[in-house]
Amino acid sequence: MTGDTVWHARVECGSEVGAGFLVSGRHVLTCAHVVRRRELSPVVVSFPADRELTGIPATVTVHGGWQGGPTDPGDLAVLELEREVALAPAEFAAPGEDQGNPELIVYGFPEGYDEGMLASYRALPGPLIHGEWAQLEATTAHGQPLEPGFSGAAAALADGRVVGMVSAVAGGRDVRVGRMLPTQVMVRYWPELCEMVPASGQPPEALRRLNALVRRADAEAVDCSPDRLYVDAVGPFGPPLPEGGFASLGAAAGYVVGEVPDTEAVTRFADRLRELLDAPPAPRATAPGWSPILVEIDHSGAGPDQVTVEVSACRDGRRRRVESRRLPRGAVREFVQLGVDAAFDHLAPDARELLAFVLPREWLNEPVAHWECGPEDSTPLGCAHPVVVMDRSRYRSGRLRHQLTKNWQRLDARTAAPLHRVDCGGHERPAGLRKRLRDEGAGLAGFSYPPDAARPHFEAGLNTPVPVLLWPRTGCAAPGHDGPCAGTAFLDGLADAVTGVPPAELPRRVMELRETAEADDDPDGHWAKDVQLLWDDPRCFPQPAAGLHSPVH
């Protein structure tokens, strides 16, 4: 190994062996899948160029968000070594220099070669696969294939400058193809890398300023929309927003640096971010002192099973993002459990917590109040804390938020609000229901059936907008019938339970009802076992960002 390529590294995590490369005295880049068992096994790094630098403990400080699938994006991890090493780090080539270059050299650690092996590949010209990977093909039919042990290896030009990182290998000795994360993609997942990668036309001071602002935003947990910042920076005629949006603020910043030709876009992005950071906190709500923990769930745009989940804590008029991830729907509960638990650290010790799930309209009937508090606590969330749902579209509508604020101001003048019943068996058209609710100034509406049973009628309540809606999640499925039903019993019990309760205190009252139903000798037969509460007071929540970004991890 030559003196200018001593930065090659071997990375071990349990039974997994991969490659990596030193980018500073204490930081090594590798693939996230190489260290996927990091919570069960230690991560250690060795440098073949120096036998004294073997088995150095390391921790993962940045994770690109890779979720475990072979085609999942974000397969990048930054390792911080336990101590600094006296080796020259890798140098990077400018983005795009891999195109048309006849040979890229990679240094990996296939089984049986602890000291490492070299392989010769080239990057195929053309577009990136799914906007993420360059395809690699062997330069000869008989050379070393890319197989396990090469993941995380730097792909370097003949002069040693790095153009990307091997992220996928074929897994067979007769297959000589693979995939590489080019540097402009790597920057999306670790924005600080842009200070190390030559960028055409970008002054170093502009990059340092941008990275400093991104680090400050992360440290202060400032809520902002990376997608909106990107669109503002590139303007109406710039490159369109990538499919699925950005995983984080850093990902958007890295994309602007690496893939937007307009060099002024970096300055515009940084200027707008600085404005958001320096903006004064929003005025404190005049509504009762709830301290919300927001859980926003939305379609990710990456497939029917993929959703975007973001957990935030609200304090002192500001929203602090805690966790954000794109996930399969089956993984949402566990992520929410961990995110909500972490969000409590951001609340004041005497805060009155309120768990608010902001959901797409078609998911408002999700049993979020029945989700367990944690893997070791089976208590339903709705029995441990006040839990409400909110309609995502009206939460983000300036028009409806304005109307809701006025409606809540009227409710503040009342000690309680009467329950406006929407029973089964009625022949009222949705337009008639909407007019009735508006004419009567309804602050609280109860439905005898779940949303899907008569969606136009339910949407009349949402769009009026009525501040508080309640319904049974498993109520009457065919509300067109005559005569009493389970939905009637639900509304009868609800009317008695909320009489005299101020609307602002309904989240607490509904929590008590859920506890009562859970403790009943026949919980499944209790009228309140599946009560769902939509409670939406805009004064309790900071103004939402322009749009929930859709993480690409």
Side-chain angles (χ1 to χ4, degrees):
M1 190 177 299
T2 62
D4 56 355
T5 57
V6 294
W7 36 261
H8 292 293
R10 173 186 171 98
V11 179
E12 299 173 73
C13 180
S15 60
E16 191 80 31
V17 176
F21 53 104
L22 189 72
V23 294
S24 77
R26 289 192 64 177
H27 294 98
V28 169
L29 280 174
T30 189
C31 287
H33 76 258
V34 172
V35 293
R36 63 179 178 269
R37 297 186 179 90
R38 63 191 180 280
E39 295 183 359
L40 302 175
S41 303
V43 179
V44 294
V45 177
S46 303
F47 295 91
D50 190 332
R51 294 182 179 180
E52 298 298 320
L53 300 177
T54 301
I56 302 173
T59 56
V60 176
T61 58
V62 176
H63 189 279
W66 176 79
Q67 289 297 302
T71 59
D72 284 343
D75 193 4
L76 175 145
V78 181
L79 310 181
E80 183 172 319
L81 303 176
E82 186 180 64
R83 66 180 190 275
E84 189 165 331
V85 296
L87 296 176
E91 294 185 9
F92 289 88
E97 286 199 46
D98 57 302
Q99 295 292 303
N101 206 290
E103 184 180 48
L104 299 176
I105 304 299
V106 295
Y107 189 109
F109 302 89
E111 186 177 3
Y113 294 92
D114 291 352
E115 72 283 6
M117 286 285 287
L118 293 171
S120 175
Y121 276 72
R122 70 184 183 99
L124 293 187
L128 298 180
I129 299 171
H130 202 59
E132 181 90 359
W133 302 281
Q135 183 166 320
L136 298 176
E137 289 192 352
T139 55
T140 70
H142 307 290
Q144 168 67 44
L146 290 182
E147 55 183 306
F150 279 90
S151 295
L157 302 172
D159 61 8
R161 290 179 301 143
V162 176
V163 296
M165 179 178 71
V166 176
S167 61
V169 298
R173 297 198 63 82
D174 295 328
V175 183
R176 288 173 169 77
V177 296
R179 288 182 177 180
M180 172 184 80
L181 287 177
T183 51
Q184 67 267 30
V185 175
M186 296 165 65
V187 166
R188 298 179 201 168
Y189 305 112
W190 191 35
E192 292 184 29
L193 189 63
C194 69
E195 293 187 27
M196 309 174 196
V197 178
S200 177
Q202 295 291 354
E205 59 273 16
L207 299 178
R208 286 193 291 270
R209 175 176 179 252
L210 176 62
N211 288 331
L213 290 170
V214 170
R215 287 194 294 269
R216 178 184 163 193
D218 287 341
E220 296 180 9
V222 172
D223 179 56
C224 61
S225 168
D227 293 354
R228 173 54 56 192
L229 280 170
Y230 173 81
V231 171
D232 290 346
V234 303
F237 304 108
L241 187 71
E243 181 181 355
F246 293 106
S248 64
L249 180 62
Y255 196 92
V256 171
V257 170
E259 303 192 40
V260 176
D262 182 1
T263 57
E264 291 300 313
V266 168
T267 299
R268 290 193 293 269
F269 191 102
D271 287 347
R272 178 61 182 138
L273 180 55
R274 177 66 181 268
E275 291 175 9
L276 293 173
L277 287 168
D278 292 344
R284 300 197 69 162
T286 57
W290 293 109
S291 294
I293 293 175
L294 280 172
V295 181
E296 289 197 60
I297 304 176
D298 195 15
H299 304 282
S300 73
D305 186 50
Q306 297 292 311
V307 297
T308 297
V309 186
E310 184 167 293
V311 180
S312 306
C314 301
R315 181 173 178 177
D316 298 331
R318 284 201 172 188
R319 175 175 165 175
R320 303 159 186 256
R321 189 170 67 250
V322 178
E323 297 283 354
S324 181
R325 190 72 56 83
R326 191 178 77 188
L327 299 163
R329 287 193 68 173
V332 169
R333 289 195 190 191
E334 181 180 0
F335 179 81
V336 169
Q337 288 172 345
L338 296 174
V340 167
D341 196 62
F344 273 91
D345 291 336
H346 295 269
L347 301 184
D350 59 347
R352 298 177 69 211
E353 78 280 0
L354 174 70
L355 273 57
F357 284 78
V358 184
L359 305 171
R361 189 159 290 189
E362 65 270 25
W363 293 348
L364 286 174
N365 208 40
E366 286 290 309
V368 293
H370 289 274
W371 291 2
E372 296 181 348
C373 287
E376 298 180 356
D377 184 354
S378 62
T379 306
L381 276 174
C383 293
H385 312 283
V387 173
V388 303
V389 297
M390 296 164 60
D391 175 52
R392 179 171 172 74
S393 56
R394 86 174 192 173
Y395 170 64
R396 294 194 168 273
S397 166
R399 177 180 65 86
L400 292 179
R401 284 176 65 89
H402 177 73
Q403 290 180 295
L404 280 168
T405 299
K406 291 195 297 183
N407 290 344
W408 273 104
Q409 288 171 343
R410 285 194 290 268
L411 289 176
D412 286 344
R414 308 179 189 175
T415 56
L419 177 68
H420 291 256
R421 297 176 62 127
V422 184
D423 281 284
C424 296
H427 302 286
E428 195 172 27
R429 294 174 54 243
L433 175 60
R434 183 171 59 248
K435 185 176 187 303
R436 172 167 70 91
L437 293 174
R438 182 173 285 120
D439 290 348
E440 296 176 358
L444 172 61
F447 289 77
S448 63
Y449 46 83
D452 284 345
R455 184 159 292 278
H457 290 77
F458 187 78
E459 290 185 346
L462 286 174
N463 296 330
T464 299
V466 178
V468 183
L469 303 177
L470 296 108
W471 65 92
R473 287 191 48 260
T474 55
C476 187
H481 66 84
D482 293 323
C485 63
T488 306
F490 171 83
L491 289 182
D492 290 344
L494 184 64
D496 291 339
V498 301
T499 297
V501 179
E505 292 300 322
L506 282 171
R508 177 69 61 181
R509 178 64 180 130
V510 170
M511 184 190 79
E512 294 168 354
L513 292 174
R514 289 168 175 153
E515 285 186 290
T516 300
E518 180 77 5
D520 194 82
D521 291 339
D522 180 19
D524 289 338
H526 196 282
W527 68 266
K529 73 181 180 71
D530 276 328
V531 60
Q532 193 85 323
L533 169 64
L534 187 146
W535 186 95
D536 190 357
D537 186 347
R539 300 169 302 171
C540 287
F541 307 98
Q543 183 74 23
L548 174 62
H549 59 269
S550 178
V552 297
H553 57 282

